[in-house]
Amino acid sequence: MDITPVSFSTPLSFSRLLGGLALLLALAQPAMAVNIVYDGSCANAPDRLAVANAVARATTWSNDAYNLVNNNEQALRNNGPSPYLTWFGTFEQGRYQRVRSVLDGVRFKLSSNSTLTAYCRVNPAVPCNNPGYVAATNARVRGDFDVWFCNAFFALPANVGFDTQAGSVLHEMTHSIGNTEDIPGGYGPANAANLATNTPGRAVDNADNYEFFVEQLYD
């Protein structure tokens, strides 16, 4: 296991209040995901299926999100209503490059030949020692990596709304490859949207902002 810090996801509820997608989304074909190896804690077949489906969806979602950002730079400069504006704030070149780089790294890692070792329902052991934790991974990891899918992960919706299983995988991947953070005061859709409005420089470093950006594209 990498000795870098473990990063966690926690669920928060939110009533959606943001508009629809105003930009062209060039949908990608489903990509081949990483190789998933299941620890003995994932003996339950439905748990393995939930993890596999979440990883596969996160792979497709990250490709689509990257294509949207990469292919619409000029439109994003106009700061019209869009998921990008909602979750990353007004356009600024450095922040735009940061968002594009994180999404590019996530899609590359999820489409690579790396091995994801999955651990299931390992509460209350570290790193799932808090009942509110959804998932955890080691930050700043190259190559093979571990993800802990805590009890709360399996109670989330698979792919509809905010705080989904697929979105949680993408959240963890932004930690693993994009060096994002769980910024205090930035958890949950309302707080993440507030970061984008008031401190967009922090929004582009907050894992939840990436998760909700991608989840809104598919909601």
Side-chain angles (χ1 to χ4, degrees):
M1 180 183 298
D2 195 281
I3 61 172
T4 49
V6 171
S7 300
F8 302 90
S9 297
T10 62
L12 286 170
S13 60
F14 178 63
S15 51
R16 273 179 279 326
L17 46 82
L18 301 166
L21 176 62
L23 300 174
L24 171 66
L25 175 58
L27 292 177
Q29 294 299 314
M32 182 174 294
V34 295
N35 302 308
I36 304 175
V37 173
Y38 297 99
D39 173 71
S41 59
C42 298
N44 186 353
D47 286 354
R48 294 197 301 272
L49 181 61
V51 169
N53 286 341
V55 171
R57 288 189 181 106
T59 303
T60 298
W61 288 9
S62 61
N63 272 285
D64 292 345
Y66 171 79
N67 287 333
L68 183 147
V69 171
N70 187 58
N71 296 338
N72 290 280
E73 179 177 353
Q74 188 55 51
L76 295 175
R77 287 177 178 274
N78 297 329
N79 291 316
S82 70
Y84 182 95
L85 180 67
T86 298
W87 302 112
F88 301 118
T90 56
F91 186 93
E92 188 275 328
Q93 189 66 39
R95 294 195 296 269
Y96 168 80
Q97 297 286 4
R98 168 66 168 152
V99 172
R100 187 169 67 176
S101 175
V102 171
L103 292 173
D104 192 23
V106 170
R107 71 168 186 147
F108 178 82
K109 181 131 186 175
L110 285 174
S111 301
S112 72
N113 290 323
S114 297
T115 295
L116 184 166
T117 300
Y119 299 83
C120 299
R121 301 183 185 272
V122 288
N123 305 64
V126 174
C128 290
N129 59 356
N130 183 312
Y133 288 157
V134 171
T137 193
N138 295 103
R140 300 182 295 279
V141 174
R142 300 287 179 180
D144 298 343
F145 59 103
D146 301 328
V147 181
W148 290 263
F149 297 93
C150 307
N151 284 332
F153 172 87
F154 298 97
L156 297 178
N159 62 318
V160 177
F162 293 131
D163 290 317
T164 65
Q165 291 177 347
S168 296
V169 170
L170 189 137
H171 175 120
E172 294 306 319
M173 294 308 304
T174 70
H175 289 316
S176 178
I177 197 67
N179 197 26
T180 61
E181 304 174 51
D182 293 322
I183 292 178
Y187 257 132
N191 291 327
N194 183 62
L195 284 182
T197 299
N198 298 305
T199 53
R202 301 182 75 200
V204 300
D205 287 331
N206 190 47
D208 260 9
N209 287 71
Y210 290 89
E211 176 181 344
F212 302 140
F213 170 67
V214 174
E215 287 174 334
Q216 187 179 349
L217 300 181
Y218 276 84
D219 190 22

